[in-house]
Amino acid sequence: MPAKIQPEHHNASSAGTMPGNRARNKLLREQQLLQLAQNILQQDGFAGLTMDRLTAASEVSKGTIYNHFCSKEDLITALSVDSLQRQLLLFHQVLALPGHSRERALALHYAYYRFSTAEPTLFLCLLSATTAAVVEKTSATRLAQRQALEQQLLSCCEQVINQAIADKALQLQAGRGIDQLTYLQWALAFGANALYGPSQQMGFFQGLEQQQLMLAGINLLLDGLDWTPLSGQFDYQQSWRRIAAALPQTQAAQ
Amino acid sequence: MPAKIQPEHHNASSAGTMPGNRARNKLLREQQLLQLAQNILQQDGFAGLTMDRLTAASEVSKGTIYNHFCSKEDLITALSVDSLQRQLLLFHQVLALPGHSRERALALHYAYYRFSTAEPTLFLCLLSATTAAVVEKTSATRLAQRQALEQQLLSCCEQVINQAIADKALQLQAGRGIDQLTYLQWALAFGANALYGPSQQMGFFQGLEQQQLMLAGINLLLDGLDWTPLSGQFDYQQSWRRIAAALPQTQAAQ
DNA sequence: ACCTGAACACCGTTCAAGT
DNA sequence: ACCTGAACACCGTTCAAGT
């Protein structure tokens, strides 16, 4: 028997659609719209995503769509928020795996890599959502949502570094903060994924095996930080494979 | 006395505009159009760049503009080609400076950083020019131009690595190729510049001093490779400052 | 051979009219 | 209070007519 949620009574009105239910319905429809938008993105790429097509794919009118997203840019930011939520989910999954601190850092890199390859269009969305032109035309509440999620993702990273310091696997040199380490790793991961990734950017690197390269880059960086166990003393290739196998493969399609 | 290039005679025609002259004029006008496009970009950002506005800013008609650029995307790729040319110029300037191999690698990083901050809109152009949507709609000859320039930029990087190997400042481990090293450094540089750079992407890293961070990241990576002299044995901060001072500051405006 | 600009198709956004 | 879709403004692209 499906759980039918009854409206609260404190707001007197006739039977049928109550305010609580209504807000929930609106949110539900927004998620449906976002799903439709992602389908369009996957089928026809970024240029294929127009408000007209989204309207046609949905069961509501253009005006109603603008009731949810104040502009096309707002829609894109909404998609990026959705992406960050999935990314955060991946981060949590991957942090639940067993292993020492450096393996957990590696796991975060893997999760980021996995997302960028499994959802190339969404990765592009994330990128363009940070563009000034898009930011300027998105609602304040949506921007706040994104910022909150970004903060949560960062917390995951910092948590791992803090653990490493507590375990004495890593010592911070003078003048080097946790935010700096996070930034550097994020930059390497972002660059590697963007260069190889969604849009085949920079065609000249296509011959290389990306996963091996990413792992090599991460090892160089973390060895440079003296984050033990160093790559000479531990088989991180096996860690990478183990993490990859542990993550559910049902990420690509839906 | 200005050098007036005379047309060849093998193509009989009346006096005045000869084929050679004509081709040169066309190229000249194309460069003027690109300059106008960049002015618009700098003033009103990416969204402000429309074919209408470019037409209005120029002294030719819309049809003529489409004679130069087969689509708006072709124009964007043309701008990216222009950017790569400037970048290559910077690379050459910076490689002419004195110093050992690791300092030269650092100099390339500096040139890349300098370009991304001095010309944020062009850096964005470079990024979006790699997008599938843009690539699909640009002419084959323009794409070939870009690829050739990318190859030249890569050559600069590989040249430095080769020099380092010849100088015994760097030894390649088994299974590690020059292209891998180039890729990793490029990824870190690209990520760091994109994350901090043109569009203030990822607001959460804004508090950090980017130049210090980049230098730290490069040092970690190159120390990890055992590229001597290591950062503990050499003052790369000073190198960075020296390189910065040596490069002409007249890069931003025009 | 090259240039022109009116004309067309498409897309983001709005808003008066409906329920 | 919310939905609708016609209407508007804008922009990329084309092409018949001009020189």
Side-chain angles (χ1 to χ4, degrees):
Chain A
M1 194 189 296
K4 274 206 179 168
I5 292 164
Q6 286 306 318
E8 315 89 306
H9 284 130
H10 59 77
N11 202 339
S13 63
S14 62
T17 53
M18 295 293 181
N21 226 334
R22 215 174 255 186
R24 212 171 53 94
N25 283 341
K26 189 176 175 182
L27 212 110
L28 217 81
R29 186 165 57 191
E30 188 157 315
Q31 284 173 331
Q32 288 171 348
L33 287 174
L34 285 177
Q35 189 52 63
L36 289 175
Q38 283 178 44
N39 292 347
I40 296 174
L41 272 183
Q42 278 171 16
Q43 281 173 33
D44 295 331
F46 224 81
L49 180 61
T50 69
M51 299 306 255
D52 272 332
R53 278 201 62 184
L54 182 56
T55 304
S58 79
E59 281 167 336
V60 293
S61 73
K62 250 181 179 181
T64 301
I65 291 202
Y66 273 86
N67 208 314
H68 285 272
F69 312 106
C70 69
S71 67
K72 193 193 173 181
E73 284 76 15
D74 199 45
L75 169 63
I76 290 175
T77 306
L79 284 169
S80 82
V81 166
D82 196 86
S83 302
L84 289 176
Q85 276 165 344
R86 296 200 205 187
Q87 224 171 287
L88 188 61
L89 215 82
L90 272 181
F91 272 26
H92 283 310
Q93 281 180 34
V94 115
L95 284 186
L97 298 177
H100 58 253
S101 65
R102 188 164 157 170
E103 272 182 303
R104 294 159 89 76
L106 188 64
L108 288 180
H109 277 284
Y110 178 81
Y112 194 55
Y113 157 76
R114 165 72 86 89
F115 178 77
S116 80
T117 52
E119 308 276 11
T121 29
L122 283 185
F123 192 74
L124 266 182
C125 256
L126 269 171
L127 229 170
S128 64
T130 62
T131 287
V134 173
V135 170
E136 280 166 13
K137 290 189 142 192
T138 71
S139 67
T141 61
R142 191 93 57 189
L143 280 180
Q145 274 180 50
R146 203 186 67 188
Q147 217 174 342
L149 276 167
E150 284 173 345
Q151 193 52 58
Q152 284 181 269
L153 285 169
L154 272 194
S155 289
C156 286
C157 301
E158 293 180 350
Q159 187 184 311
V160 171
I161 295 177
N162 275 322
Q163 187 204 338
I165 294 172
D167 293 352
K168 312 261 190 208
L170 174 66
Q171 282 183 321
L172 279 191
Q173 288 173 255
R176 198 116 74 194
I178 291 175
D179 49 355
Q180 286 193 14
L181 296 200
T182 310
Y183 174 82
L184 281 179
Q185 288 191 67
W186 201 290
L188 182 64
F190 175 79
N193 285 310
L195 242 54
Y196 202 93
S199 53
Q200 243 85 328
Q201 187 184 338
M202 311 272 168
F204 39 81
F205 288 128
Q206 281 186 22
L208 304 178
E209 232 317 305
Q210 188 190 14
Q211 295 191 49
Q212 292 302 317
L213 262 185
M214 293 242 338
L215 186 54
I218 296 160
N219 276 336
L220 275 179
L221 209 63
L222 301 191
D223 282 351
L225 288 167
D226 254 322
W227 191 333
T228 59
L230 298 182
S231 64
Q233 308 157 340
F234 196 88
D235 188 353
Y236 286 108
Q237 290 237 16
Q238 194 187 319
S239 296
W240 184 270
R241 279 195 300 269
R242 191 172 50 75
I243 296 160
L247 227 59
Q249 297 289 338
T250 45
Q251 202 62 23
Q254 56 78 37
Chain B
M1 190 189 296
K4 273 207 179 169
I5 292 166
Q6 287 306 317
E8 314 91 308
H9 283 130
H10 58 76
N11 202 340
S13 62
S14 62
T17 52
M18 296 291 181
N21 229 333
R22 214 174 256 187
R24 213 169 53 95
N25 283 341
K26 189 176 177 184
L27 213 109
L28 218 82
R29 185 165 57 190
E30 188 156 314
Q31 285 174 329
Q32 288 170 348
L33 287 174
L34 285 176
Q35 190 52 64
L36 289 175
Q38 283 178 43
N39 292 347
I40 296 173
L41 272 182
Q42 278 172 14
Q43 281 173 33
D44 294 330
F46 225 81
L49 180 60
T50 69
M51 298 306 256
D52 271 332
R53 278 201 60 186
L54 181 57
T55 303
S58 79
E59 281 169 335
V60 293
S61 72
K62 250 180 178 180
T64 300
I65 291 202
Y66 272 86
N67 209 312
H68 284 272
F69 312 105
C70 69
S71 66
K72 193 193 174 182
E73 284 77 13
D74 199 45
L75 169 63
I76 291 176
T77 305
L79 284 168
S80 83
V81 165
D82 196 86
S83 303
L84 289 176
Q85 276 165 346
R86 296 200 205 187
Q87 224 170 286
L88 188 62
L89 215 82
L90 273 180
F91 272 27
H92 282 312
Q93 279 180 36
V94 113
L95 284 185
L97 297 177
H100 58 254
S101 65
R102 189 165 156 170
E103 274 182 303
R104 294 160 89 76
L106 187 64
L108 288 179
H109 277 283
Y110 178 81
Y112 194 55
Y113 157 77
R114 165 72 85 89
F115 178 78
S116 79
T117 53
E119 308 276 11
T121 29
L122 283 186
F123 192 73
L124 266 181
C125 257
L126 269 173
L127 229 170
S128 64
T130 63
T131 288
V134 173
V135 170
E136 281 166 12
K137 289 186 144 195
T138 71
S139 67
T141 61
R142 191 94 57 191
L143 281 180
Q145 272 180 53
R146 202 186 68 191
Q147 217 175 341
L149 277 166
E150 284 173 344
Q151 192 53 56
Q152 284 181 270
L153 287 168
L154 273 194
S155 289
C156 287
C157 301
E158 294 182 349
Q159 186 184 310
V160 172
I161 296 177
N162 275 322
Q163 187 204 337
I165 294 171
D167 293 351
K168 310 261 189 211
L170 174 66
Q171 282 184 319
L172 279 192
Q173 288 172 254
R176 200 116 74 193
I178 291 176
D179 49 355
Q180 284 193 17
L181 296 200
T182 311
Y183 174 83
L184 282 179
Q185 288 191 68
W186 201 290
L188 181 65
F190 174 79
N193 285 310
L195 243 54
Y196 202 95
S199 53
Q200 242 86 327
Q201 186 184 340
M202 310 273 168
F204 40 79
F205 288 127
Q206 280 185 23
L208 304 178
E209 231 316 305
Q210 189 191 13
Q211 294 191 49
Q212 291 304 316
L213 260 185
M214 293 240 338
L215 186 53
I218 296 160
N219 276 336
L220 276 179
L221 210 63
L222 301 191
D223 282 352
L225 289 166
D226 255 323
W227 191 332
T228 59
L230 299 181
S231 65
Q233 308 158 341
F234 196 88
D235 188 354
Y236 286 108
Q237 290 236 17
Q238 195 188 317
S239 296
W240 184 270
R241 279 194 300 269
R242 190 171 51 77
I243 296 161
L247 227 59
Q249 297 287 340
T250 45
Q251 203 63 25
Q254 56 78 35

